[in-house]
Amino acid sequence: MSLCFQPFHYASKIKYCVRKHTRSLSLGRKNPSIVKVASAETTSTSFLHKQSSDALIGPGNGIGIIGGVSIDFTLTFAKRLKNLLLEEEGSSPPFILCSDPSLSKELSSLDRSSSPFSSAKKEADCSTIVENLRRKRAFLDRSGVCCVVMPCHISHSWHDEIKEGCSVPFLHVGECVANELKQAQLKPLESGSPLRIGVLATNPSLLPTIYQEKLENKGFEVVLLDKATVEHTVIPAVEALNRKDFEGAQNLFKIALQVLLMKAVNRVILASDHLEQLLPPEDPLWTKCIDPMDALARLSLEYARSPETGI
């Protein structure tokens, strides 16, 4: 597991945190190390374990980040925080980032799966993933952060289990985006119809627990793709992405997006870390899309700036 301690005012310094292993010549085993970013201090793993009951940052205004399907996506979230601070000219709370490549590999395989996995399979195959995430959450909880976030859609499948026992706010991406949509006071596109929000994901079986329930609790009508459209657009798009056929994946993704827009949805939530890369920033379809991780980043900064933390 790699950890990064980073104040956001090192705006141009947020690059890559990598998991490094040094092989002991005498014992022949791998030892995880903690990686330094910018001017942050590097601390040995053994020291952190001994001092885990003490806050690593202060005065309780830091943000704890649990990595997801890849280090790239996780650092993209850190860059979102940096960009928001640059836009608002705000002060710079620190953050602690936990990244585990072995966990990322397992999460990525689930997120890219073309076949939704059942509840039974989740229980049988994912208990180790949940326990891994719980350990990272517990570590961050003890480290002096004011809140913990998981910028990963797939990890939110087990949000409640991971959250159990957490002493600081453990933010849920579905609640964040649902609250922001409610505050936006959007108007239905069709007179007399409820306000509709589309949700597009690479693994539709995850939607009810991550987004659908949260949106419906706020009064939105959630629109999903029908089974035939998923089988002919979303699943082939995932398969094309796995083959590195980005053009084919992009074309299929646009078709799926247009199908949802034809159902008079105001916005479409992109509920997958992989879908964001399939649409060029200049594409006009972006105006109809929502990246829920932006909402998660905004709320985490609000916690860091609250009066209790002194930011």
Side-chain angles (χ1 to χ4, degrees):
M1 178 178 72
S2 298
L3 304 177
C4 299
F5 307 86
Q6 175 66 43
F8 292 125
H9 54 272
Y10 295 99
S12 63
K13 300 289 186 178
I14 300 179
K15 293 182 179 179
Y16 287 96
C17 306
V18 296
R19 182 195 189 207
K20 293 183 178 179
H21 289 288
T22 56
R23 183 175 297 277
S24 170
L25 295 178
S26 59
L27 299 178
R29 66 171 181 266
K30 293 182 178 179
N31 300 313
S33 63
I34 298 207
V35 182
K36 176 174 70 175
V37 177
S39 65
E41 295 183 359
T42 302
T43 311
S44 70
T45 303
S46 60
F47 175 81
L48 282 180
H49 282 305
K50 292 178 182 178
Q51 301 295 326
S52 61
S53 61
D54 297 326
L56 298 174
I57 55 177
N61 63 346
I63 299 170
I65 304 173
I66 301 176
V69 296
S70 79
I71 185 62
D72 291 329
F73 292 139
T74 304
L75 289 173
T76 294
F77 181 80
K79 291 177 183 179
R80 294 175 201 268
L81 295 169
K82 177 203 71 174
N83 292 335
L84 286 171
L85 288 165
L86 290 176
E87 292 173 6
E88 302 171 7
E89 298 183 353
S91 55
S92 306
F95 70 85
I96 303 176
L97 186 156
C98 296
S99 178
D100 184 345
S102 62
L103 174 63
S104 298
K105 184 177 180 180
E106 293 182 86
L107 292 172
S108 182
S109 66
L110 290 175
D111 193 37
R112 286 175 178 265
S113 173
S114 60
S115 300
F117 56 91
S118 65
S119 298
K121 191 177 190 306
K122 274 173 59 176
E123 285 186 24
D125 297 350
C126 302
S127 59
T128 56
I129 294 177
V130 174
E131 185 56 34
N132 191 326
L133 291 167
R134 281 180 59 84
R135 287 196 299 270
K136 290 174 174 56
R137 191 275 303 156
F139 172 80
L140 293 171
D141 193 2
R142 297 191 302 267
S143 299
V145 298
C146 66
C147 65
V148 177
V149 297
M150 292 190 302
C152 173
H153 302 277
I154 192 82
S155 296
H156 277 78
S157 304
W158 313 285
H159 182 274
D160 290 344
E161 296 97 311
I162 301 164
K163 176 183 178 180
E164 186 176 352
C166 190
S167 64
V168 298
F170 187 48
L171 308 186
H172 190 292
V173 66
E175 292 178 353
C176 292
V177 72
N179 288 334
E180 285 199 357
L181 284 169
K182 190 69 174 180
Q183 294 168 7
Q185 298 183 336
L186 301 172
K187 303 297 181 182
L189 297 182
E190 294 180 344
S191 179
S193 299
L195 204 154
R196 300 188 180 104
I197 301 296
V199 182
L200 187 57
T202 53
N203 198 319
S205 68
L206 304 178
L207 293 177
T209 56
I210 300 177
Y211 291 103
Q212 187 169 359
E213 178 182 333
K214 308 299 180 183
L215 290 166
E216 290 176 348
N217 287 343
K218 294 294 181 180
F220 296 107
E221 179 180 317
V222 178
V223 179
L224 310 175
L225 292 174
D226 59 84
K227 182 179 178 181
T229 303
V230 170
E231 291 176 347
H232 290 90
T233 59
V234 178
I235 292 177
V238 174
E239 293 171 346
L241 192 61
N242 290 338
R243 297 192 306 270
K244 307 298 182 183
D245 177 9
F246 294 102
E247 182 178 357
Q250 184 180 90
N251 291 335
L252 290 164
F253 166 64
K254 286 186 176 182
I255 294 172
L257 190 58
Q258 291 285 8
V259 171
L260 282 174
L261 293 174
M262 290 175 62
K263 297 179 181 291
V265 299
N266 285 70
R267 297 290 187 273
V268 176
I269 295 174
L270 302 182
S272 170
D273 297 290
H274 301 286
L275 292 179
E276 302 163 22
Q277 61 187 312
L278 295 181
L279 205 59
E282 66 277 6
D283 196 302
L285 284 175
W286 259 124
T287 61
K288 291 292 186 179
C289 296
I290 292 177
D291 184 346
M293 295 305 164
D294 288 334
L296 185 65
R298 282 187 285 268
L299 186 59
S300 64
L301 285 177
E302 285 184 24
Y303 273 99
R305 292 169 171 169
S306 66
E308 290 78 9
T309 61
I311 294 297

